[in-house]
Amino acid sequence: MPRPILATVHAAALGHNLSRVRSSVPDARIWAVVKANAYGHGIERVFDALRSADGFALLDLAEAQRLRALDWRGPILLLEGCFELRDLELCSRLGLWHTVHCDEQIDMLATHKTQLPHRVFLKMNSGMNRLGFTPGRYRAAWTRLNALPQVEEISLMTHFSDADGPKGIAAQVQAFEAVTHDLPGERTLSNSAAALRHVAEMGEKSDWVRPGIAVYGSAPDYPQRSAADWGLQPTLTLASKIIGLQQLQAGDTVGYGSSFTAEGPLRIGVVACGYADGYPRHCTTGTPVLVNGVRCRMVGRVSMDMITVDLTPVSEAGMGSDVVLWGRCASGVVLPIDEIAQSAGTVAYELMCALAQRVPVVAAE
Ligand SMILES: *Cc1c(COP(=O)(O)O)cnc(C)c1O
């Protein structure tokens, strides 16, 4: 029998979450962001559930090829644009739309030979200070692009640094508007957090929104709001089983470094899941775990292949009992991935992307 660990991708939840974002911004078109192999879910596994999206956004050209191999003929946007001249040839061949965020990318376009002029998304650095032209240099870049025969259509793009937090998006929206108000072309501004939280502020300003994390069922602004608050469902379940039991007495310790000491008699379940499966090692005693659908707490350190769980709330649990590390158990009880991420001092994005290669993944309704 294989080791009992298993990840499940929930197709129906992906479809539900996409609709949930759509209902928040009904007039916008939606790029389903599928970078990083669909946030660890697997592009091929999410594709059918997300094909009602208006386009897919990602940044790895090999992933764009995989989408075309699935026979997706609609829009694909490269969020970081092209890295070298060769990439432009692939854009021409596969009909990819690409971001232009720096002069070097315009230089490359100017030397690219193509029969089919490209649609490009000119990115403004409106305050994030990662990719894009500053407001002061944006129009010059637009003018340069507009003069190129290789360019058919220019759309306008920026990315928010604080759509999920107290600073908000107002200053960036203002910087973007001030420079672009009289430029033609479609706009794309919002990530998940902006598409859910800043609908009124965005109004007509985003023709396309670019949700990622919300589609994958995590709240962009956790813990201020939970996924359930936003009506989002978990799309990824990490499950395993109890493969060992220990009976502790007062003073006994558990695991490496003896970081947990029992205060009295305590039954411990050993679960076949550790950091080599993608379960974060930074989780500490108290991190919730579902055993037979009942919330228990992890105790002691996460090791490479195992964690240990206090079975007090679920006395009937034993060898082979079902464990859910995050996601949804058979009875429907949900353990939000956001809670586990918070326990580990990180975000659900990182947990999804860190699901280890050795964990088998199945697709389910
Ligand atoms: C990853 C990414 C997104 C999606 O962000 P979420 O927070 O997951 O919704 C949107 N736009 C760009 C440019 C990105 O890189």
Side-chain angles (χ1 to χ4, degrees), residues 52-297:
S52 68
D54 302 288
F56 289 93
L58 42 69
L59 38 81
D60 190 316
L61 282 103
E63 292 184 341
Q65 281 179 299
R66 281 161 60 192
L67 270 175
R68 288 292 185 237
L70 290 165
D71 219 17
W72 171 254
R73 307 205 177 158
I76 297 178
L77 174 62
L78 297 177
L79 291 166
E80 293 181 344
C82 292
F83 307 97
E84 56 180 351
L85 196 54
R86 256 212 320 237
D87 300 344
L88 285 165
E89 284 155 26
L90 205 63
C91 288
S92 292
R93 190 140 47 83
L94 299 179
L96 309 180
W97 301 355
H98 50 102
T99 300
V100 171
H101 64 76
C102 63
D103 285 310
E104 291 76 4
Q105 288 177 326
I106 304 181
D107 298 341
M108 274 196 282
L109 253 174
T111 63
H112 177 52
K113 293 186 178 51
T114 181
Q115 307 300 320
L116 297 167
H118 291 191
R119 176 156 179 186
V120 297
F121 283 67
L122 182 60
K123 186 159 186 180
M124 183 188 295
N125 166 18
S126 57
M128 174 84 134
N129 286 313
R130 230 171 39 174
L131 298 182
F133 293 90
T134 56
R137 298 190 49 239
Y138 192 79
R139 291 184 76 102
W142 189 91
T143 304
R144 246 194 106 192
L145 274 179
N146 195 43
L148 292 183
Q150 291 88 346
V151 173
E152 181 191 43
E153 187 176 343
I154 307 173
S155 303
L156 316 179
M157 175 178 184
T158 196
H159 190 53
F160 297 128
S161 56
D162 288 81
D164 55 336
K167 188 171 167 190
I169 63 170
Q172 284 188 267
V173 170
Q174 198 183 10
F176 184 80
E177 287 280 294
V179 175
T180 61
H181 67 277
D182 59 346
L183 290 177
E186 291 188 332
R187 273 91 170 130
T188 176
L189 294 89
S190 300
N191 56 2
S192 296
L196 292 175
R197 287 166 56 96
H198 298 286
V199 182
E201 248 169 304
M202 289 307 302
E204 310 284 289
K205 295 189 185 83
S206 209
D207 299 293
W208 292 81
V209 297
R210 309 187 302 268
I213 198 69
V215 172
Y216 303 102
S218 155
D221 52 358
Y222 187 84
Q224 193 188 340
R225 300 243 202 147
S226 70
D229 291 340
W230 286 119
L232 300 169
Q233 298 174 359
T235 58
L236 183 68
T237 292
L238 181 61
S240 185
K241 289 186 189 295
I242 292 181
I243 59 164
L245 296 164
Q246 296 295 337
Q247 180 62 51
L248 306 189
Q249 303 304 329
D252 288 345
T253 63
V254 180
Y256 287 116
S258 301
S259 70
F260 174 80
T261 306
E263 288 178 356
L266 195 66
R267 214 159 69 98
I268 293 289
V270 181
V271 179
C273 176
Y275 62 78
D277 300 298
Y279 192 86
R281 188 177 173 277
H282 285 97
C283 283
T284 49
T285 293
T287 303
V289 176
L290 296 178
V291 179
N292 286 349
V294 178
R295 274 176 91 100
C296 298
R297 59 173 185 150

Side-chain angles (χ1 to χ4, degrees), residues 13-84:
L14 287 160
H16 166 90
N17 295 340
L18 183 65
S19 313
R20 175 64 192 82
V21 175
R22 212 183 262 294
S23 71
S24 178
V25 285
D27 298 327
R29 270 165 291 160
I30 296 189
W31 296 109
V33 179
V34 293
K35 62 188 177 189
N37 200 22
Y39 289 47
H41 291 61
I43 287 178
E44 288 76 10
R45 264 179 232 111
V46 303
F47 175 68
D48 263 333
L50 299 182
R51 68 186 312 157
S52 68
D54 302 288
F56 289 93
L58 42 69
L59 38 81
D60 190 316
L61 282 103
E63 292 184 341
Q65 281 179 299
R66 281 161 60 192
L67 270 175
R68 288 292 185 237
L70 290 165
D71 219 17
W72 171 254
R73 307 205 177 158
I76 297 178
L77 174 62
L78 297 177
L79 291 166
E80 293 181 344
C82 292
F83 307 97
E84 56 180 351

